[in-house]
Amino acid sequence: MGIPFDKFDGVIWYDGKLVPWTEATLHVLSHGLHYASAVFEGERAYGGQIFKCTQHSERLKRSAQTLDFEIPWSVAEIDAAKRLVIEKNNFSDAYVRPIAWRGSEMMGVSAQDNTIHLAIAAWQWPSYFTPEERLKGIRLDLAEYRRPDPKTAPSLAKAAGLYMICTISKHRAERRGFADAMMLDWQGRVAECTGANIFFVKDGKIHTPIADCFLDGLTRQTVIEIARRRGIEVVERRIMPDELKGFTECFVTGSAAEVTAVSEIADWRFTPGAITKQLMEAYTAETLAKGKAAAA
């Protein structure tokens, strides 16, 4: 445990202006806190430039629309605000967290007239896992909770409420000595981890679940593009847990995790190999190259 996040130094963009970090507060009776009417993004800046900046802002807007509210700032304005936060906090490499939520005007389930707020913070946060863990491979538990049927929840939005079962699952995994947990979908098929997408390798091909009941991560999309550019076949398909014994490599992807090798999922074992290492290095090179190109 380090400094609590509400005690950091710096500035946060809050509803159109920069405010001191400790003053970026909301009322306890905000709808977003009680009913999870909130959406967010997790992004990274490399060399002072936010990777996939506009794509993240576009997804933030789409997620809000899925939750039946409109963020009152354009994608271009959100992009500019994020860049301002990086600049004013004097960051080069940083994690960026925009979040939008319904305010406190109404406190019932229905809150159609509530003010929509938007805040953007950034802080220095290394990869979710240490460099040693990322190379050696993290250990994953098998989560008790499953990703919900898309007919029961807005599964493709990056909505705060969807992460409730992720927190429960990750806490349980950590108490059992694992770094994270792999989640199945509502039909018992492989889905994702609590905060990252998952990939497997067999006979030189990459296999990954179809992202139709969980978030199609921007890091996931980037890694698939990189792999295909390098001539590695990527197969998006349904994967059943009993297939895991036939895969040789496994890795996870996400803005926080970047590309991280997996050595174990419950009773299944994997050996971080050439494809995983190649994609780890290629993803790092891609993010750094984008940052340098944007700064030039």
Side-chain angles (χ1 to χ4, degrees):
M1 296 290 289
I3 301 172
F5 273 77
D6 61 345
K7 303 299 183 186
F8 280 18
D9 192 20
V11 294
I12 290 175
W13 190 97
Y14 196 131
D15 285 349
K17 62 182 180 180
L18 293 172
V19 301
W21 192 286
T22 56
E23 295 178 18
T25 58
L26 70 157
H27 196 274
V28 69
L29 293 180
S30 295
H31 195 273
L33 176 62
H34 291 253
Y35 296 97
S37 54
V39 297
F40 69 98
E41 283 293 317
E43 313 176 31
R44 280 195 182 275
Y46 299 90
Q49 303 298 319
I50 300 169
F51 188 63
K52 304 280 186 178
C53 181
T54 297
Q55 291 95 320
H56 278 288
S57 298
E58 291 171 341
R59 188 172 68 182
L60 183 72
K61 294 274 285 186
R62 289 196 304 272
S63 293
Q65 290 162 357
T66 300
L67 266 64
D68 197 35
F69 67 84
E70 190 71 41
I71 297 173
W73 286 273
S74 69
V75 167
E77 288 171 327
I78 296 171
D79 283 353
K82 289 187 291 187
R83 295 185 181 111
L84 183 64
V85 167
I86 293 293
E87 176 190 342
K88 294 303 182 182
N89 283 294
N90 196 30
F91 289 149
S92 177
D93 296 341
Y95 184 82
V96 184
R97 171 56 61 86
I99 181 167
W101 69 96
R102 285 192 176 95
S104 57
E105 287 83 2
M106 300 174 69
M107 194 34 66
V109 172
S110 176
Q112 297 189 45
D113 296 324
N114 284 28
T115 300
I116 304 303
H117 299 276
L118 174 65
I120 300 168
W123 60 90
Q124 292 178 306
W125 196 20
S127 180
Y128 220 42
F129 305 104
T130 67
E132 294 76 20
E133 285 179 312
R134 292 178 63 213
L135 286 169
K136 181 182 178 182
I138 59 172
R139 299 172 62 243
L140 304 180
D141 197 5
L142 191 60
E144 179 181 3
Y145 284 100
R146 296 183 176 189
R147 299 313 303 168
D149 183 335
K151 294 180 181 179
T152 67
S155 302
L156 302 185
K158 197 168 177 68
L162 294 173
Y163 286 81
M164 175 184 65
I165 58 175
C166 298
T167 296
I168 295 170
S169 298
K170 188 170 176 68
H171 284 182
R172 177 177 178 269
E174 289 176 341
R175 284 193 294 269
R176 289 158 55 92
F178 296 89
D180 201 351
M182 184 184 76
M183 308 183 80
L184 305 179
D185 69 12
W186 85 102
Q187 291 186 319
R189 305 171 302 200
V190 174
E192 60 173 352
C193 293
T194 63
N197 294 125
I198 194 162
F199 294 79
F200 302 93
V201 177
K202 180 179 181 180
D203 298 330
K205 297 180 183 179
I206 295 173
H207 301 255
T208 192
I210 298 169
D212 61 355
C213 67
F214 56 87
L215 200 68
D216 182 6
L218 291 172
T219 307
R220 175 186 185 274
Q221 297 172 28
T222 302
V223 168
I224 289 174
E225 292 169 3
I226 292 172
R228 287 174 173 162
R229 287 202 307 263
R230 290 169 171 259
I232 303 171
E233 184 176 350
V234 180
V235 182
E236 298 180 74
R237 65 178 181 87
R238 308 297 185 194
I239 300 174
M240 298 304 295
D242 61 7
E243 293 184 65
L244 268 59
K245 61 181 178 292
F247 294 121
T248 54
E249 299 179 47
C250 177
F251 60 90
V252 297
T253 65
S255 293
E258 299 179 297
V259 180
T260 295
V262 173
S263 62
E264 178 180 331
I265 303 175
D267 295 328
W268 297 288
R269 301 292 183 268
F270 309 93
T271 302
I275 289 180
T276 300
K277 184 177 180 181
Q278 181 183 163
L279 292 175
M280 289 175 68
E281 294 172 348
Y283 181 77
T284 298
E286 178 118 346
T287 57
L288 295 177
K290 295 289 186 182
K292 289 177 181 178

